Amino acid sequence: MTSYASQSGFIDNLNPISIQSLEDACWNWCRKMGFTQVRLPVVEQRALFERGVGNGTDVVEKEMFTLQGSENVLRPEGTAQAMRAWIAAGGIRYGQARWAYCGPMFRNERPQAGRFKQFQQFGCEMIGLPAGPGDADILVGLSDFFTELGLREKLTLKVNTLGTSAERSAYRAALQDWLKPKLELLDETSRKRFYTNPLRIWDSKEPGTKLLMADAPRLLDFLGDASRTYWDLILSLLDDAGVNYEIDTTLMRGLDYYNGLVFEWVTFENKAQNAVAAGGRYDGLAELLGGVATPAFGFAFGLERVDALRETESSNKRSGYYVVSMPETEAYALKVSRAYRNRGETVVLGDFNGKLAKQVQRADKLNARFVIILGPSEKETKSVTVKDLDTGLQETVQFLD
Ligand code: HAM
């Protein structure tokens, strides 16, 4: 028989306990922050991302999976599709939405540690909320979330502002003027970006380009009064909440829809992929997609990347009950299992095959915390023998159904 292994970049997650507990933690965070779950399709029109994310971005230009013979793609991200759904639902009538999603995204990238062709993103989008304290509230909430997950020490919050589109245009022109006489000092990709998207020259990892850009004009110096007041407000709210951050004026984000505050939570634990969570404001996206102008702000993170930073202990922790029994006490075993489940416990029924000691070994392999041992004497006396696999202690108690 043919065996089908997964392809590189499309991973089998055969030990989902940790990812599942992370997802549970995400939904618990959403409950506290007032986000409700939306389920959006995995297949979308290519044009949505061309317009929304931007034709010149890596995600759209190089990484989308197109369905053969169609104009459809597997979604590479959730922000443009959340906005599409909001517009299609006539969202503006409702004023505001706080939406959250968790599901597969697809990008045809070269796989490496922490980078997959199919990955899972948890994302939140606040649509209809203008720039203001709500943005800082999400960053503070995320900081607390990462603390709760035991990751805050491993992460650095980087923030920058991209200003308004008019401020960005003025900056783009100034940057091009400054770079023009130095073009031959740029690496090849950056030279192309000089004409198409000069702000993305900041993303270059080439040492020569980085050295040159160290003296380039900064977008922060092109902000008008309103943008500067907003930027100062965000920073002062973060200071007030005791959330550490770094201002990184080179942080431009790779997707075109952003304006104003942008941020990334980065880690230095994994050298290959250091962005763990990212987001920002995207006040122009609704209009770009044909809707009424609607301010918006959001973020997303890859579940796999966050999970990789967590200690593995949660996936190895023992939990639940495993029932060990014999064919002649099957009915009693089912009755006991049912009663324990009705009390809210997790109960796995064993296969009743072989000696009791062998069955207990199977419980051990499955990481059960307790084994319920049921033989003829337990059945007769209406009792259960419970062994704690953590301590090795065993006791027989009355069975109360
Ligand atoms: P993004 O920076 O493209 O932003 O992706 C967000 C996160 O998804 C990354 O920080 C990373 O954790 C994860 N991620 C991205 N690509 C991969 C990959 N190939 N393999 C594993 N994980 C990956 C967005 O997608 C925006 N939609 C975020 C946003 C929401 N902005 C506003 N609202």
Side-chain angles (χ1 to χ4, degrees):
M1 205 175 89
T2 318
S3 80
Y4 296 95
S6 79
Q7 296 174 48
S8 166
F10 296 91
I11 51 166
D12 293 322
N13 189 348
L14 298 182
N15 182 10
I17 298 169
S18 191
I19 283 272
Q20 190 180 321
S21 75
L22 175 58
E23 209 182 316
D24 288 348
C26 290
W27 294 124
N28 190 37
W29 184 81
C30 283
R31 185 187 51 74
K32 290 190 279 184
M33 301 295 291
F35 284 96
T36 51
Q37 187 175 153
V38 286
R39 304 228 175 155
L40 302 166
V42 168
V43 174
E44 286 278 1
Q45 284 182 40
R46 165 173 274 276
L48 170 68
F49 300 106
E50 287 172 346
R51 289 204 90 181
V53 175
N55 253 325
T57 61
D58 286 351
V59 168
V60 170
E61 206 172 60
K62 306 181 196 152
E63 296 166 5
M64 284 205 293
F65 284 100
T66 304
L67 299 190
Q68 201 176 14
S70 81
E71 287 302 309
N72 294 330
V73 294
L74 297 178
R75 63 178 182 184
E77 63 102 53
T79 308
Q81 73 165 174
M83 189 55 92
R84 177 207 44 73
W86 160 265
I87 295 167
I92 199 69
R93 282 183 286 137
Y94 308 109
Q96 280 179 19
R98 288 168 83 90
W99 280 351
Y101 49 86
C102 190
M105 303 289 167
F106 303 82
R107 294 185 192 178
N108 200 0
E109 297 189 79
R110 204 163 37 81
Q112 60 182 65
R115 194 207 276 159
F116 310 106
K117 288 174 188 272
Q118 176 175 344
F119 56 100
Q120 303 187 65
Q121 239 187 21
F122 166 68
C124 289
E125 314 291 352
M126 287 198 298
I127 304 180
L129 197 85
D135 304 355
D137 184 44
I138 297 297
L139 288 180
V140 174
L142 269 176
S143 173
D144 288 346
F145 187 39
F146 290 137
T147 303
E148 192 184 306
L149 294 174
L151 304 183
R152 189 60 182 93
E153 299 295 302
K154 297 179 180 174
L155 296 172
T156 301
L157 170 61
K158 293 192 167 192
V159 293
N160 190 25
T161 175
L162 301 183
T164 62
S165 68
E167 288 156 3
R168 249 186 344 272
S169 296
Y171 172 65
R172 192 177 299 119
L175 184 63
Q176 278 175 321
D177 282 349
W178 186 85
L179 279 171
K180 210 176 234 159
K182 310 176 183 70
L183 261 187
E184 74 285 359
L185 299 174
L186 292 176
D187 61 90
E188 202 185 319
T189 311
S190 297
R191 233 175 291 143
K192 276 188 206 139
R193 286 180 174 161
F194 173 84
Y195 299 101
T196 55
N197 196 346
L199 269 65
R200 292 215 46 219
I201 296 176
W202 285 109
D203 293 343
S204 174
K205 304 270 182 285
E206 293 294 323
T209 302
K210 281 179 87 163
L211 194 70
L212 176 70
M213 293 300 282
D215 295 325
R218 303 286 162 133
L219 210 162
L220 266 183
D221 298 322
F222 288 74
L223 296 187
D225 286 348
S227 291
R228 180 148 295 275
T229 306
Y230 161 67
W231 178 236
D232 291 343
L233 169 75
I234 297 296
L235 299 186
S236 77
L237 289 172
L238 291 178
D239 288 337
D240 223 52
V243 171
N244 295 332
Y245 58 86
E246 263 176 32
I247 297 174
D248 180 354
T249 55
T250 70
L251 179 70
M252 295 294 156
R253 303 281 298 125
L255 315 169
D256 282 355
Y257 47 61
Y258 291 111
N259 66 280
L261 174 66
V262 287
F263 60 91
E264 271 182 13
W265 297 80
V266 300
T267 180
F268 298 102
E269 305 251 323
N270 173 353
K271 288 193 188 86
Q273 285 304 315
N274 67 8
V276 171
R281 293 212 65 83
Y282 48 97
D283 298 320
L285 183 59
E287 266 179 305
L288 205 63
L289 297 180
V292 179
T294 310
F297 178 78
F299 74 88
F301 62 68
L303 288 191
E304 293 87 355
R305 283 194 197 169
V306 171
D307 195 47
L309 290 177
R310 300 207 300 161
E311 307 300 333
T312 47
E313 69 182 70
S314 60
S315 54
N316 296 330
K317 228 163 109 187
R318 296 184 172 283
S319 67
Y321 290 78
Y322 185 93
V323 178
V324 156
S325 187
M326 297 165 170
E328 56 269 36
T329 47
E330 273 169 359
Y332 185 53
L334 256 68
K335 190 172 173 183
V336 170
S337 304
R338 187 180 185 186
Y340 271 69
R341 287 189 186 121
N342 286 341
R343 284 180 220 157
E345 302 294 352
T346 302
V347 182
V348 172
L349 204 67
D351 55 10
F352 307 160
N353 201 354
K355 295 211 171 84
L356 288 182
K358 276 263 175 255
Q359 293 190 41
V360 172
Q361 280 174 12
R362 284 200 276 279
D364 189 40
K365 276 197 184 143
L366 278 175
N367 261 344
R369 169 76 197 270
F370 300 102
V371 194
I372 299 178
I373 303 165
L374 303 172
S377 75
E378 277 86 2
K379 184 182 167 190
E380 214 174 285
T381 55
K382 251 191 141 247
S383 61
V384 291
T385 299
V386 182
K387 180 172 181 164
D388 182 336
L389 290 181
D390 261 355
T391 61
L393 295 177
Q394 180 171 318
E395 62 173 340
T396 302
V397 293
Q398 206 55 39
F399 168 56
L400 307 164
D401 59 351

